[in-house]
Amino acid sequence: NPQLEYDLFTLVRQLVFHRYLSDCDAIHEYGCGSCGNLLLLAGMFPGRRLHALDWAQASVEIAELIASRAGVPLSGERFDMRQPSARGPLAGGSAILTVHALEQLGTDFGPLIEHFLASGPKRVVHLEPIMELYDPTNVYDHLAIEYSRRRGYLDGYLAALRKLADQGRIEILAAVRPCIGGVIHEASLIVWEDRKSTRLNSSHSSVS
């Protein structure tokens, strides 16, 4: 199957979305690109409110086109993750999603994390290349680390989240490497919740 990597990653996304997003009333994808993940979500959760955020105007136009032609409750918005603008608190029960979007930030992710916290989401779900989950003693993982660093990809994000967890600001529900992807580039799963938002949401049901 020449599309094996794509098909396996689609399966992983379906499993992740079902487990961590099925109880969320709205889903906001940051760095949505061509809106492929949002289309997948629309098929899994008909009628769910979806929001596409990306720095490219073309992504906003794609979201609007999908909404008008497919009748999906999907809206689009231009958004710069390096200089995140304040958007105010999200509606209750909203989730934040990123898929291979944060990798371009390198170590410049601090303002975005604070933006996520200020938005008060019910849950934050990432499928991103996470260097901390590679094993530097494994030759393939060593090459993946070198590749990511030379490309200036995401570095230190999980460590920053773990520091916030130690401070009691967030709770990390998952930090797992599914080992699905290319030889030197793959996505790991990170799921976390803002503890303050969790306490305010009395209807929250825990995810094991």
Side-chain angles (χ1 to χ4, degrees):
N1 180 0
Q3 294 192 131
L4 179 62
E5 181 180 339
Y6 174 82
D7 290 344
L8 287 174
F9 191 53
T10 297
L11 178 60
V12 167
R13 286 181 293 158
Q14 289 172 326
L15 292 170
V16 167
F17 295 168
H18 176 75
R19 182 169 186 178
Y20 293 107
L21 298 176
S22 60
D23 64 340
C24 298
D25 298 328
I27 302 166
H28 301 248
E29 185 183 6
Y30 284 69
C32 63
S34 59
C35 298
N37 298 307
L38 293 166
L39 266 177
L40 184 60
L41 285 163
M44 293 178 64
F45 309 124
R48 194 71 49 91
R49 297 194 313 275
L50 304 172
H51 193 62
L53 299 98
D54 201 282
W55 70 271
Q57 179 61 29
S59 296
V60 177
E61 294 172 0
I62 291 172
E64 293 171 348
L65 191 62
I66 292 172
S68 62
R69 293 196 177 183
V72 175
L74 171 61
S75 57
E77 174 186 349
R78 288 196 67 183
F79 186 88
D80 186 349
M81 290 191 291
R82 291 187 181 276
Q83 297 179 317
S85 55
R87 302 177 61 236
L90 297 174
S94 295
I96 287 174
L97 170 69
T98 74
V99 180
H100 277 286
L102 303 187
E103 62 189 26
Q104 305 295 332
L105 296 180
T107 58
D108 189 21
F109 48 75
L112 186 63
I113 291 179
E114 291 302 322
H115 169 85
F116 288 160
L117 290 169
S119 298
K122 177 175 183 175
R123 192 168 300 125
V124 182
V125 178
H126 301 300
L127 280 167
E128 300 284 349
I130 300 296
M131 268 195 272
E132 293 95 319
L133 296 180
Y134 287 128
D135 177 5
T137 65
N138 177 286
V139 63
Y140 289 107
D141 286 9
H142 174 75
L143 290 173
I145 293 170
E146 288 299 310
Y147 172 81
S148 293
R149 286 184 173 154
R150 292 188 184 188
R151 296 281 295 179
Y153 283 163
L154 193 65
D155 189 355
Y157 188 78
L158 179 56
L161 292 182
R162 285 172 170 164
K163 184 176 181 180
L164 289 173
D166 290 341
Q167 296 170 353
R169 296 183 65 185
I170 70 170
E171 179 181 0
I172 299 176
L173 302 181
V176 182
R177 180 184 175 190
C179 295
I180 298 293
V183 176
I184 55 175
H185 203 43
E186 62 183 55
S188 291
L189 170 67
I190 298 177
V191 184
W192 58 276
E193 293 178 350
D194 179 354
R195 285 187 172 174
K196 180 175 67 175
S197 297
T198 301
R199 287 194 297 268
L200 291 174
N201 187 356
S202 59
S203 63
H204 169 260
S205 58
S206 63
V207 180
S208 60

